[in-house]
Amino acid sequence: MKRRYLLFIFMTLSIIFLSGCQSEQTETRRVQPLDGNLTVHGGSVGGVWSLFTEGISEAVRKEFSGTLISAVPGTVAGNPVLVDQKETDFAIAESLTARFAYEGKEPFDKKYEHIRAVAAIMPENVFQLVAPVDAPFDSIEDIVQEQLPLRYSAGEKNALGDIVSAASFNSYNMTYKDMKANGGQVHFLSGNKTFELIRDGRIDALGKLAPLPAGDIMEASTAIDLKFISLGDQAIDKLIETFGVTRYTIPENSYDFQKEPYETINSPTILITHAEQDEETVYHMTQAIYNQLDYLNDVHKGFQKINDETIIEVGGVPIHPGAEKFFKEKGLLQ
């Protein structure tokens, strides 16, 4: 009787143990490499988007050892087009720029309807307008009212920094053409190149969208005394109304030169792909980003803002079914 009882206990425990092993096996993540030689287009070599694409690519390699995936230089306005035309597998894009491409709004000349969102990888991508501390203006309104001959850098032409810059000045009834008529200039340069010219006294201000803190602004502030230039509620409200962006407050002391909060707008940076991209591949790309956040947090502070709420905030671009499947399994989407 005792032997039967012990045998029963042993068999019961064995079943529980094996069931646990089977459950653990079903929850084990895929370990084999993803299929194909994947590409992820980012930004210019040495720029912050280059860092993002390298980070995303390495996160995939860490999650799926042996995966062939390359980070490739790209452009803000060009990446959505490359994705739509299947000239890359994945790309980084500003959510608003990707939406403009998807809907066929300026600066795009047609609808790129095959663009799909994978995940928000930089929830904070905020507009920042900076100038030397001795600049004779503290706001866009000052520039407009005094008709100052502003020499302005708007970043890459047709990128979101350019679009937001133009719209901000337009909210006070000033166009780039008006700026030039006042004796000013409009340049479309990278942040690093712009700060070189600011140091030489050849450019007065830079407007750009970037995660916090922006590396080029931080670096420039060690050699140039900088200040933020106020957009004003008039511009912020117009940007929200026109583009559906959100108001954002950059906390004080986000930069050494910044002593007060700075009011601006935010438009997240997202990862995009083609609508016909393999569903399983997109699922596992999303999984890699989600599971490798500890690694990504060390790549750039902007990744630290990703959480269960922000990762699905991709703007007006439809989410790819592969990413949607992953988010639903995690309970992030209904």
Side-chain angles (χ1 to χ4, degrees):
M1 187 77 170
K2 185 175 182 181
R3 287 182 62 190
R4 289 183 179 176
Y5 179 76
L6 290 174
L7 181 61
F8 173 78
I9 295 295
F10 175 78
M11 293 179 65
T12 302
L13 291 175
S14 297
I15 291 170
I16 293 173
F17 174 77
L18 290 173
S19 298
C21 289
Q22 289 173 352
S23 175
E24 185 174 332
Q25 288 174 354
T26 59
E27 294 177 1
T28 299
R29 298 194 301 268
R30 166 180 171 158
V31 294
Q32 66 267 34
L34 302 188
D35 295 333
N37 190 349
L38 303 174
T39 55
V40 185
H41 271 68
S44 58
V45 176
V48 68
W49 275 20
S50 176
L51 183 65
F52 296 165
T53 49
E54 289 289 355
I56 294 296
S57 300
E58 183 60 21
V60 174
R61 296 186 198 106
K62 285 178 173 291
E63 188 75 4
F64 306 109
S65 179
T67 296
L68 299 176
I69 182 168
S70 303
V72 183
T75 61
V76 176
N79 285 355
V81 178
L82 291 176
V83 164
D84 182 86
Q85 297 177 349
K86 290 188 176 181
E87 294 184 19
T88 186
D89 298 295
F90 297 89
I92 290 178
E94 294 158 335
S95 62
L96 190 55
T97 304
R99 196 190 88 196
F100 286 164
Y102 177 74
E103 296 177 350
K105 294 182 177 178
E106 290 187 8
F108 300 95
D109 57 357
K110 67 174 186 177
K111 293 182 179 181
Y112 293 92
E113 297 177 315
H114 300 110
I115 296 170
R116 295 294 183 271
V118 178
I121 59 170
M122 284 285 150
E124 288 182 348
N125 185 47
V126 299
F127 188 67
Q128 303 167 62
L129 205 166
V130 295
V133 72
D134 57 358
F137 52 86
D138 295 310
S139 67
I140 292 179
E141 191 170 11
D142 291 342
I143 296 166
V144 174
Q145 287 185 346
E146 299 178 29
Q147 297 185 347
L148 297 175
L150 182 72
R151 297 167 299 180
Y152 187 72
S153 177
E156 182 183 320
K157 188 172 180 60
N158 292 330
L160 196 51
D162 173 24
I163 294 169
V164 170
S165 292
S168 297
F169 284 101
N170 284 345
S171 70
Y172 294 97
N173 298 316
M174 173 180 274
T175 65
Y176 283 167
K177 186 176 180 180
D178 296 330
M179 197 179 291
K180 294 175 183 177
N182 292 336
Q185 303 167 2
V186 180
H187 301 274
F188 302 99
L189 304 168
S190 68
N192 289 330
K193 183 61 178 178
T194 296
F195 284 120
E196 286 181 20
L197 296 176
I198 286 178
R199 281 196 297 269
D200 293 340
R202 296 162 60 188
I203 284 184
D204 302 311
L206 163 69
K208 64 176 296 177
L209 271 100
L212 292 172
D216 53 2
I217 294 179
M218 286 187 66
E219 183 179 352
S221 68
T222 63
I224 309 169
D225 290 330
L226 296 174
K227 64 180 178 181
F228 274 127
I229 303 304
S230 172
L231 306 184
D233 286 338
Q234 187 167 317
I236 292 173
D237 291 344
K238 187 65 176 179
L239 292 169
I240 293 171
E241 176 187 348
T242 304
F243 301 132
V245 293
T246 56
R247 179 182 284 267
Y248 188 92
T249 302
I250 299 179
E252 60 189 41
N253 300 318
S254 294
Y255 298 94
D256 289 342
F257 64 85
Q258 180 202 0
K259 305 307 177 186
E260 297 179 353
Y262 180 68
E263 296 298 318
T264 183
I265 58 93
N266 181 57
S267 178
T269 300
I270 64 176
L271 187 68
I272 59 175
T273 191
H274 194 279
E276 296 177 359
Q277 180 64 256
D278 177 66
E279 186 172 321
E280 183 179 7
T281 299
V282 177
Y283 177 95
H284 290 303
M285 282 288 292
T286 314
Q287 174 185 333
I289 295 169
Y290 189 85
N291 288 343
Q292 293 294 330
L293 283 180
D294 286 345
Y295 160 72
L296 290 172
N297 288 346
D298 293 331
V299 172
H300 191 281
K301 288 184 178 180
F303 284 119
Q304 296 174 10
K305 300 297 182 180
I306 299 178
N307 56 44
D308 286 356
E309 294 180 357
T310 61
I311 196 170
I312 60 174
E313 294 176 357
V314 296
V317 181
I319 297 178
H320 190 282
E324 185 177 40
K325 179 182 177 183
F326 178 82
F327 291 139
K328 285 183 176 179
E329 288 181 2
K330 288 293 180 181
L332 309 186
L333 287 176
Q334 298 299 317

